[in-house]
Amino acid sequence: MGAARTTSARRRRAVPWVMLGLWIAVLAIASPFASKLADVQHDRAVDYLPGSADSTQVARIQDRLPGGEATEMVVVYHRDSGLTAADKATAARQIERIAGAHQLTDRPRGVPSEDGTTLMYPVASTEPGTDEKARDALVNDVRDIAHDDGGMSVDVGGPGALQTDAAEVYNALGGPLLYTTAGVVALLLILIYRSPVLWLVPLAVAGLADYLSMGVAYGVNQAFGTAVTGASSGIMTILVFGAGTDYALLLVSRYREELRRFERPYDAMAAALRGCGPAVLASSGTVAAGLLCLLAADLNSSRGMGPLGTVGILCALAAMLTLLPAVLVLLGRRVFWPLVPRYGSTPKARRSLFAAMGSSAERRPLAVLASGAVLLGALALGVLNLPGALKQEDSFTTKPDAVAAMETLAEAYPEQGTQPLTVLAPADKADAVLGEVRGTRGVASAERGRSGDGWTEISVATTSAPQSAGETATIEALRDRLDDSLVGGASAQQLDLADTNARDRMIVVPLVLVSVLLILVALLRSVVAPLILVGAVVAVWGAALGIGGLVFGPVFGFEGTDPGLGLLSFVFLVALGVDYGIFLMHRMREESLKGTEPVAAALTALRTTGGVIASAGLVLAATFAVLTNMPLVSLVELGFVIAVGVLLDTFLVRTYLVTSAAVALRRTVWWPGALSRDPGPPAPPKEPEPVAAVTH
């Protein structure tokens, strides 16, 4: 018997070391692939669009024309007091150098503004083709040649320059985003754990999970061709650190409890995994299911974000349920120093904030529910104040050269389009199509371009500014009139992005709601509780968007709202918000299964999980808030809405409203499951049988 016990103890001691060895092997295998994720990242607008969009088809056909896809730029010369003869001569010399250094599609011709302050030269080259690095090199070389001179400002704008500036921002996201996220999580963990050592363990494990997710994401890209963008890879990192730290907080909290009940750390960790493991698995499964619904989106960038986000969640889950327990067991109780949970000790009883909140919910559940619903509804009205669609020139929080050039052009050429559209006509109908184009309202001029592969390229100048209502009307008119032709270009791509996002919302939103609801029904064995949780997170989403509407324009000074904000914020807030509902409801169900009266079960669940949920919510909100420091308006808006939504969900909905609903509904919250039925009065205790006296 003693030998068997010794063997069993040795096996228990070996398990953490084996797990650690497995992770070292897995990370070694993933290492060569993790660094390659950036190589498959693409951030052109056309890479985001579905293959069926007109502008996508235009870009693909242009690749097959002589010279391939053209990189279009506009070199803008400007002097407030008016360009001098010397300025114009300098501009001509610089353009001549550009034409001599690069293979241009046509000799650039200067177009002066009516007020004489500005001179623009449209420049296009097919040198880079679809090679993004070559495109960036071309744009930067043009900028080096066309430089400021003697008080005359020179900026290079146009679609090609704008893509280069955007790529520079996306390429710079990785390092700052990772370091800032890790720093924020580290600070919060130090405050939560109040330990000089413990905070480092989940943070290091999250970092390894992020590294693994990069390797897995690259493998998924190679196997299935999923789209990888700067935004999706950055959000994957946010999810790994945010959700992974949430799972770690739940596990460590339960592990601390079990260390007071078990002498050996291994036994305490096994009990902790049995207790919180199902909730963590269910919550991560819900998030993964919600993100995978993005596969139904038509937009490549949204569809690609689904698999990447799921990879991040699953890597975080695997790390926090295998590597983290192994490291904690190996480090023993001393990792909690100075607040070490001693075996057999009892934690000090404290009157917690969540116990007080539970008491108010118990006294007036309907009043709390009504007040919360009114507050969320009032906040949601801010959606009416959201700015309109975000234009390309307004998509940066700073002002790169391309945006400065576009602003100068908008002021100097108010009645003229400065960003050409592209019409691709069947080669045998090119003359007829050219006539139709020139006769379309809103078209200033149209010229034939290259021909090849059965198509002829027509460059169209409009009378309206880029992405204005007038230009949009011209694009739509051209598409209506030209049955056999395709209309593309930078502005057409932005229009197709907005239209595709609108279609995707109609498909993905109901799919997310149904999938999350079905998972919750299966997990909680109830219909009412899942409806409450899903209704709550939808209300939070509306309120968070409403708050965005109140601050984006008036406070942040944003000129527009990213078209994908509604869909992506909905998916993330519903999937992640339900996480905390699962933690709360799972504990409530656990208490109810013990026979605890419904109200007491709800208050006990809030009291025992409130602190963990609050800590997890703060960490998740803080990680998404990191996006508000990024130089892209779309990321700032997404990070703000999700961070605010998580905070609302954590401190209002989850603590007050869901608990109040459970108190008000009592057993009905578990309908139609077994817990919804009243077990009846307890059986009276049996009379003790008489025991005969013992005689000696």
Side-chain angles (χ1 to χ4, degrees):
M1 188 74 173
R5 254 192 221 130
T6 302
T7 303
S8 178
R10 285 176 180 169
R11 287 177 179 169
R12 285 198 300 268
R13 287 196 296 270
V15 169
W17 289 107
V18 171
M19 189 60 65
L20 193 60
L22 285 174
W23 266 93
I24 291 173
V26 168
L27 290 170
I29 294 171
S31 181
F33 306 106
S35 59
K36 294 182 179 181
L37 185 63
D39 297 336
V40 297
Q41 175 181 312
H42 298 287
D43 292 297
R44 297 183 307 164
V46 71
D47 294 320
Y48 287 35
L49 288 165
S52 59
D54 269 19
S55 52
T56 308
Q57 296 181 59
V58 167
R60 289 178 178 171
I61 294 171
Q62 283 181 315
D63 292 343
R64 303 196 299 268
L65 294 178
E69 182 183 5
T71 296
E72 297 177 342
M73 296 165 281
V74 181
V75 184
V76 182
Y77 296 89
H78 176 79
R79 187 187 290 273
D80 289 339
S81 58
L83 294 173
T84 64
D87 291 337
K88 295 174 183 177
T90 299
R93 284 195 303 271
Q94 292 183 356
I95 295 298
E96 195 66 30
R97 284 184 57 196
I98 293 171
H102 298 284
Q103 181 182 347
L104 304 184
T105 58
D106 197 6
R107 188 172 187 83
R109 291 179 295 177
V111 181
S113 63
E114 290 186 4
D115 61 6
T117 62
T118 309
L119 179 63
M120 71 168 176
Y121 281 89
V123 175
S125 173
T126 57
E127 277 181 6
T130 57
D131 188 326
E132 293 181 34
K133 291 182 179 179
R135 177 205 64 203
D136 297 343
L138 168 67
V139 171
N140 289 328
D141 189 59
V142 169
R143 284 173 170 167
D144 289 340
I145 296 173
H147 56 272
D148 294 359
D149 186 271
M152 176 179 64
S153 67
V154 184
D155 294 305
V156 179
L162 199 64
Q163 289 175 5
T164 293
D165 289 340
E168 184 177 346
V169 170
Y170 278 117
N171 292 334
L173 284 181
L177 184 64
L178 175 61
Y179 304 142
T180 308
T181 302
V184 167
V185 172
L187 178 61
L188 289 173
L189 288 177
I190 291 172
L191 295 174
I192 291 167
Y193 287 139
R194 291 172 292 168
S195 167
V197 179
L198 181 58
W199 65 272
L200 190 57
V201 179
L203 182 65
V205 171
L208 294 175
D210 181 52
Y211 192 69
L212 174 63
S213 70
M214 293 168 64
V216 175
Y218 176 78
V220 171
N221 168 268
Q222 295 299 295
F224 302 104
T226 54
V228 179
T229 67
S232 62
S233 59
I235 288 175
M236 182 178 71
T237 293
I238 292 285
L239 283 172
V240 171
F241 276 91
T245 305
D246 281 3
Y247 303 151
L249 287 168
L250 193 66
L251 177 65
V252 171
S253 175
R254 192 62 176 258
Y255 178 51
R256 190 196 294 266
E257 288 182 30
E258 302 299 342
L259 281 172
R260 301 181 189 277
R261 299 176 53 238
F262 292 91
E263 184 176 1
R264 296 184 180 89
Y266 179 91
D267 297 329
M269 181 57 73
L273 287 170
R274 286 194 300 270
C276 70
V280 172
L281 285 169
S283 63
S284 60
T286 305
V287 177
L291 290 174
L292 286 176
C293 290
L294 285 170
L295 287 172
D298 204 19
L299 202 64
N300 287 337
S301 54
S302 297
R303 189 166 64 247
M305 193 172 289
L308 253 69
T310 301
V311 165
I313 288 293
L314 295 182
C315 287
L317 173 71
M320 295 308 168
L321 290 188
T322 57
L323 181 58
L324 179 62
V327 174
L328 288 175
V329 169
L330 290 173
L331 293 175
R333 297 174 188 272
R334 60 184 177 274
V335 75
F336 288 94
W337 185 86
L339 304 175
V340 179
R342 305 293 180 188
Y343 172 56
S345 64
T346 303
K348 293 180 180 178
R350 296 178 181 174
R351 177 67 173 172
S352 71
L353 169 66
F354 299 100
M357 296 172 80
S359 298
S360 62
E362 180 184 14
R363 290 193 301 270
R364 294 180 295 274
L366 295 179
V368 170
L369 276 173
S371 301
V374 169
L375 175 60
L376 292 175
L379 291 174
L381 292 177
V383 171
L384 302 175
N385 197 47
L386 281 170
L390 187 67
K391 296 181 181 179
Q392 280 183 301
E393 63 263 33
D394 299 324
S395 58
F396 301 89
T397 57
T398 55
K399 188 187 291 185
D401 283 356
V403 172
M406 294 174 77
E407 290 181 351
T408 301
L409 290 173
E411 292 178 5
Y413 305 85
E415 300 300 326
Q416 180 176 343
T418 55
Q419 187 166 277
L421 303 176
T422 299
V423 173
L424 285 179
D428 58 347
K429 300 180 181 178
D431 291 336
V433 171
L434 182 61
E436 286 284 329
V437 170
R438 287 173 173 169
T440 302
R441 185 176 181 180
V443 172
S445 64
E447 303 294 335
R448 289 179 62 142
R450 299 170 292 170
S451 293
D453 199 37
W455 295 90
T456 295
E457 185 180 64
I458 299 173
S459 181
V460 180
T462 68
T463 58
S464 303
Q467 293 183 255
S468 63
E471 189 195 48
T472 298
T474 302
I475 294 172
E476 292 173 344
L478 286 170
R479 286 177 170 173
D480 288 340
R481 294 186 68 173
L482 308 176
D483 294 333
D484 299 328
S485 302
L486 301 169
V487 180
S491 295
Q493 290 171 2
Q494 295 302 312
L495 181 61
D496 289 340
L497 280 173
D499 291 344
T500 307
N501 266 304
R503 289 197 300 270
D504 286 348
R505 282 196 299 272
M506 301 297 293
I507 297 171
V508 176
V509 167
L511 197 58
V512 170
L513 289 175
V514 171
S515 61
V516 169
L517 191 62
L518 290 176
I519 291 173
L520 290 176
V521 168
L523 174 69
L524 299 175
R525 310 287 199 278
S526 165
V527 172
V528 176
L531 286 173
I532 292 173
L533 293 181
V534 171
V537 291
V538 171
V540 164
W541 170 67
L545 270 182
I547 294 175
L550 297 176
V551 301
F552 286 164
V555 179
F556 294 164
F558 294 160
E559 298 293 334
T561 305
D562 183 69
L565 176 64
L567 176 62
L568 293 180
S569 62
F570 179 86
V571 172
F572 283 113
L573 278 177
V574 169
L576 294 170
V578 167
D579 255 17
Y580 303 136
I582 289 175
F583 295 160
L584 181 68
M585 284 292 189
H586 185 270
R587 190 59 180 259
M588 198 182 300
R589 179 177 171 79
E590 192 178 326
E591 294 295 326
S592 298
L593 288 172
K594 294 177 183 177
T596 307
E597 188 269 332
V599 173
L603 299 182
T604 300
L606 176 60
R607 187 178 66 253
T608 54
T609 65
V612 178
I613 290 177
S615 300
L618 281 172
V619 169
L620 189 63
T623 53
F624 272 99
V626 169
L627 291 175
T628 62
N629 196 40
M630 297 297 108
L632 287 170
V633 170
S634 59
L635 292 182
V636 174
E637 291 178 341
L638 183 64
F640 179 86
V641 169
I642 295 178
V644 168
V646 168
L647 291 176
L648 281 174
D649 191 62
T650 302
F651 293 102
L652 173 64
V653 173
R654 221 43 71 209
T655 48
Y656 260 133
L657 303 189
V658 172
T659 302
S660 297
V663 169
L665 293 172
R666 298 178 182 265
R667 294 190 185 279
T668 306
V669 78
W670 301 114
W671 184 87
L675 289 175
S676 64
R677 294 186 284 274
D678 191 340
K686 294 183 179 179
E687 291 290 334
E689 296 182 3
V691 180
V694 179
T695 57
H696 297 282

